[in-house]
Amino acid sequence: LQRLLRIQNEELIKFLQDVLDALFAMFSTDDGNSTPHSGLVFHVLVSIFSLMQSSKFQHFKPVMDAYIKDHFAAPLVYKGLLSSVQHLADWMTTAENLEPILQCFTSLEFIFKLIIQSRKLFAHASGGQYEDKFKHDLFAVFGSLNNMLPVSGSPHILPTQEALLSSIGVVFEQLRAIITKAELETLVKTMLDAVPKDAQPPLIQAKLKAIKDMVSGQMFQDDDTRSVILNIACKHLRTHLARRDELRLCSEILAEILIKLHEAKVKSGEKPSNAIQHDLDTLFSNIFPNMMQTITVLGNGGNESLVCSLFAVMLGLMQLLDESHYQRMWDRLCSGGNNKDVKEFIQQCLNIFKDILEQDWIIFSKDWLVMKMSANEVLRKTLEELAKPLVYRFLGPQSFDSQLWWSYFSVAVIFLTQPSLQIEQYHETKRRKILSTHGDMRVAMGFQILSMWAQLGEHKLHFIPSMVGPFLEVTLVPEPALRKATFTVFYDMMQCEQVSFQFSLSNH
């Protein structure tokens, strides 16, 4: 076995199947117990698996996968493999040389593929015997792995912890084939929670990268496991957004989540499945408020790059939402019968939109017109959704909020008069394309403003004369239908003032 470690790597790979068969024959007895050579055999196995991780031999990974799937025939080695991994995890705090542990954790993908295949072979041969014992041993291994994540003090320990977290995503993906959804949730949750909140940045980053791996992998394709991973991911992302740390990684994870949810939504057709709707609710309720808060704080601090990344994520989420998501959000925020949280939510939204629009979509390059138009479409629809609670919750005699309404009108006017929507500036072909794809969004927003104005009733006086200037800006837009409709607002304003004046005279 020692000589095997000294064989040239190329020779080892050339006879890989024969070498592995011989190693597994020495690794355990016929009844699955260890042999005097088990420890050294495991060391050799890990060395071989580590070779597969190197760039030189990475293309042999499919060969290893084919061996495990088609040729591997050791139904009881899972016992020894589990105990070997557990032994190394327990040994980490006292070991002087951590290289074998590092190699083991780097190779967990293949180790667990073998564990799972071995267990499947045994279960098939025995009719599923000792399932509880296997689960117990599996959870014991993860208990030991989790216990080593909070350990600190030695600079040599950190790389082994990072190696564990970088391998764990693919391990969980494999385990979902042999454990239940609830068991998978427990394993994922306890491992990620085992990383201390005050851990060193590299370990925090490794944890977030593990989450990203899980989001990018197969687990996020399946409705059941996606909801599990999403809930756990949201918990950790919410923490980091609130603490304003590792925001770049957080935005990357959120972007990946949105891509996967978008793909799932497209795949499900016109009517998204309940699972997708539920996942969007989870993301909206758990992440959106924190993201707005973070964007607001960062915007004040001038961190332009991060603000752009997070707003792009925010925009992507808003694109996937429909009226039902917003309605459930309003219900959640108003669960105690108080509209304060709803007001705060809407106000924060409007403030962020105002900043972005006033900077003419700084998150996009100047010539990214298609992106700007798509983003404007999302923003316009979101403003329509924000208008609904304004009417239903902030228009009554006791609940009217002039500041919130003023903010809404201000943002709507800025949206309508923004440079990128002035389609007259584009040449004919581009203008036609914009109109055929999005229509004239100025007109749509203009009529939305007029509709909201009409809802105000006696509250219109709160906005005279302060809204005269913004409405005049709307009339400067060279769109005849919009101009004509806006002029009626001025007549309405004059009429309101006249009635108010007459009322005040009669009182005197």
Side-chain angles (χ1 to χ4, degrees):
L1 285 170
Q2 291 287 2
R3 287 171 63 191
L4 186 60
L5 287 170
R6 293 194 290 272
I7 291 177
Q8 284 193 348
N9 294 336
E10 288 81 359
E11 291 296 309
L12 201 58
I13 294 297
K14 192 186 295 183
F15 300 103
L16 184 63
Q17 184 178 328
D18 294 331
V19 170
L20 289 172
D21 285 343
L23 287 171
F24 287 121
M26 289 187 281
F27 185 64
S28 60
T29 61
D30 290 341
D31 56 359
N33 292 320
S34 62
T35 70
H37 312 294
S38 294
L40 191 51
V41 170
F42 185 75
H43 179 49
V44 175
L45 284 169
V46 166
S47 299
I48 294 171
F49 300 151
S50 294
L51 273 182
M52 299 292 175
Q53 307 296 339
S54 66
S55 55
K56 185 176 180 181
F57 295 103
Q58 210 166 25
H59 57 286
F60 280 97
K61 276 188 172 185
V63 177
M64 178 65 84
D65 288 335
Y67 168 79
I68 294 170
K69 185 181 176 185
D70 301 324
H71 301 288
F72 174 69
L76 284 167
V77 298
Y78 71 85
K79 295 180 181 180
L81 291 173
L82 284 171
S83 64
S84 297
V85 174
Q86 185 173 4
H87 170 70
L88 286 178
D90 292 337
W91 186 47
M92 189 194 74
T93 52
T94 55
E96 290 183 11
N97 178 19
L98 295 177
E99 187 60 31
I101 303 174
L102 182 62
Q103 276 195 333
C104 172
F105 291 164
T106 307
S107 309
L108 284 179
E109 176 184 352
F110 289 119
I111 293 172
F112 270 89
K113 279 181 179 176
L114 287 163
I115 288 169
I116 291 163
Q117 186 65 7
S118 172
R119 175 60 204 172
K120 282 181 177 178
L121 290 171
F122 180 76
H124 180 72
S126 66
Q129 275 188 350
Y130 307 122
E131 181 71 13
D132 290 343
K133 177 72 167 67
F134 167 70
K135 295 277 181 76
H136 176 271
D137 292 346
L138 180 67
F139 273 76
V141 170
F142 274 89
S144 294
L145 293 173
N146 294 343
N147 288 339
M148 54 160 279
L149 285 171
V151 176
S152 60
S154 166
H156 305 295
I157 288 175
L158 185 60
T160 62
Q161 294 168 322
E162 289 180 77
L164 169 61
L165 289 169
S166 68
S167 300
I168 210 64
V170 71
V171 170
F172 286 136
E173 202 160 282
Q174 294 157 17
L175 284 173
R176 74 188 180 121
I178 58 166
I179 61 176
T180 66
K181 172 186 161 184
E183 288 166 341
L184 179 68
E185 183 174 14
T186 301
L187 289 179
V188 176
K189 186 177 181 300
T190 51
M191 175 159 282
L192 295 178
D193 286 349
V195 178
K197 289 184 178 178
D198 59 349
Q200 297 177 62
L203 193 57
I204 296 289
Q205 289 161 14
K207 177 191 76 172
L208 289 170
K209 285 174 185 172
I211 292 172
K212 189 179 178 185
D213 289 342
M214 286 184 260
V215 169
S216 304
Q218 286 298 313
M219 284 191 289
F220 224 69
Q221 309 285 346
D222 177 73
D223 284 350
D224 283 343
T225 47
R226 183 177 61 239
S227 67
V228 166
I229 301 303
L230 183 61
N231 275 304
I232 294 168
C234 282
K235 175 191 168 185
H236 289 272
L237 290 168
R238 198 167 62 239
T239 299
H240 292 291
L241 285 170
R243 285 164 40 177
R244 324 267 185 257
D245 67 357
E246 302 301 340
L247 293 177
R248 182 70 62 192
L249 249 177
C250 288
S251 67
E252 288 174 11
I253 294 167
L254 286 166
E256 190 67 30
I257 288 171
L258 290 171
I259 289 168
K260 297 295 182 186
L261 287 175
H262 175 73
E263 289 171 354
K265 195 173 181 183
V266 169
K267 194 176 176 182
S268 68
E270 273 188 40
K271 191 176 180 186
S273 68
N274 289 337
I276 294 169
Q277 293 291 75
H278 178 268
D279 289 344
L280 285 169
D281 267 331
T282 299
L283 198 58
F284 191 31
S285 60
N286 280 284
I287 297 298
F288 201 86
N290 293 68
M291 196 153 47
M292 286 199 299
Q293 187 67 36
T294 303
I295 289 170
T296 302
V297 171
L298 291 177
N300 295 333
N303 200 326
E304 193 176 285
S305 171
L306 274 175
V307 169
C308 291
S309 297
L310 288 169
F311 185 76
V313 169
M314 185 176 165
L315 206 60
L317 177 53
M318 291 188 298
Q319 186 179 19
L320 294 174
L321 301 174
D322 60 32
E323 183 180 2
S324 66
H325 297 115
Y326 285 99
Q327 187 55 55
R328 286 189 288 273
M329 175 63 91
W330 309 141
D331 292 342
R332 275 191 297 270
L333 291 173
C334 198
S335 57
N338 191 328
N339 283 326
K340 182 186 172 188
D341 290 340
V342 179
K343 176 186 174 178
E344 193 175 306
F345 183 99
I346 296 171
Q347 189 65 64
Q348 266 196 324
C349 253
L350 293 173
N351 290 343
I352 291 169
F353 294 172
K354 184 170 181 281
D355 287 344
I356 290 291
L357 290 169
E358 284 181 338
Q359 297 175 70
D360 192 25
W361 293 101
I362 194 171
I363 64 170
F364 302 128
S365 296
K366 286 187 177 180
D367 54 348
W368 286 15
L369 184 62
V370 174
M371 287 294 289
K372 285 184 181 180
M373 289 299 165
S374 298
N376 273 314
E377 184 73 29
V378 173
L379 219 60
R380 185 186 67 76
K381 288 178 179 175
T382 304
L383 285 168
E384 281 183 10
E385 293 302 330
L386 296 181
K388 292 169 186 174
L390 272 180
V391 173
Y392 296 129
R393 298 175 188 269
F394 298 98
L395 191 57
Q398 305 301 319
S399 60
F400 180 68
D401 193 308
S402 59
Q403 180 58 48
L404 203 56
W405 277 82
W406 165 254
S407 296
Y408 184 87
F409 282 130
S410 298
V411 172
V413 170
I414 293 168
F415 176 92
L416 193 148
T417 56
Q418 64 176 290
S420 56
L421 287 189
Q422 310 317 309
I423 56 176
E424 293 76 21
Q425 65 185 303
Y426 306 123
H427 58 70
E428 183 67 22
T429 308
K430 187 177 283 187
R431 187 159 66 244
R432 279 183 187 168
K433 190 171 182 181
I434 291 169
L435 289 172
S436 66
T437 308
H438 302 285
D440 193 337
M441 284 183 269
R442 298 173 302 177
V443 176
M445 181 51 74
F447 283 107
Q448 172 70 20
I449 292 171
L450 298 177
S451 169
M452 293 295 281
W453 175 260
Q455 299 274 2
L456 281 170
E458 62 185 28
H459 296 301
K460 288 174 182 174
L461 283 170
H462 288 277
F463 304 98
I464 302 171
S466 60
M467 279 305 297
V468 172
F471 281 146
L472 275 173
E473 286 186 57
V474 176
T475 62
L476 295 176
V477 174
E479 167 52 51
L482 184 58
R483 277 182 168 178
K484 188 176 179 182
T486 310
F487 282 134
T488 62
V489 173
F490 292 113
Y491 291 123
D492 196 24
M493 283 181 166
M494 287 188 282
Q495 193 174 12
C496 285
E497 275 204 306
Q498 183 70 26
V499 170
S500 174
F501 180 68
Q502 288 174 352
F503 181 74
S504 62
L505 280 179
S506 64
N507 280 346
H508 287 300

